[in-house]
Amino acid sequence: MQDKIIISRLMVYCNHGVFEEEKINGQNFYVSAELTLDTTKPGHSDDLNDAVNYAEICMLITEFMQFNNFNLIEAVAENLAIHILEFSPLVKGVK
């Protein structure tokens, strides 16, 4: 079964962009992510250890966005998706 966790418009202030003022001054970015996974086991066990912790994923996104710098939003998205997939083997896909 493929279930989804959807994070919608997580606001992160960071310094991505091509222009120097974007890199210096920063700006708000709004991150939405759709994570594909199977929630059968945590649905039955009611145990956070069997689940993907949404709070941890939001913190992971925030820290990644703030501690990395990219020129293109496409590069941010691609590298962030890889980072999320590497964070948890429970996550099977990221959109």
Side-chain angles (χ1 to χ4, degrees):
M1 174 181 281
Q2 292 298 305
D3 302 302
K4 296 177 183 172
I5 293 173
I6 298 174
I7 298 167
S8 182
R9 293 185 51 81
L10 174 67
M11 187 177 76
V12 182
Y13 187 85
C14 47
N15 301 73
H16 302 285
V18 173
F19 301 111
E20 198 62 29
E21 57 269 13
E22 293 173 311
K23 295 175 190 223
I24 294 170
N25 299 326
Q27 60 189 310
N28 287 325
F29 285 81
Y30 295 89
V31 180
S32 295
E34 184 177 292
L35 284 58
T36 306
L37 64 157
D38 184 352
T39 61
T40 304
K41 186 174 181 181
H44 289 286
S45 71
D46 195 29
D47 185 344
L48 184 58
N49 293 314
D50 294 332
V52 173
N53 185 324
Y54 308 166
E56 285 183 355
I57 293 292
C58 289
M59 184 60 74
L60 178 86
I61 292 169
T62 300
E63 289 176 354
F64 180 86
M65 295 285 294
Q66 291 178 336
F67 295 112
N68 291 280
N69 295 103
F70 296 95
N71 291 322
L72 302 177
I73 196 69
E74 295 87 348
V76 175
E78 181 69 22
N79 286 280
L80 178 58
I82 291 167
H83 191 61
I84 292 170
L85 288 167
E86 290 174 346
F87 174 74
S88 175
L90 298 175
V91 177
K92 301 302 180 195
V94 178
K95 181 177 175 183

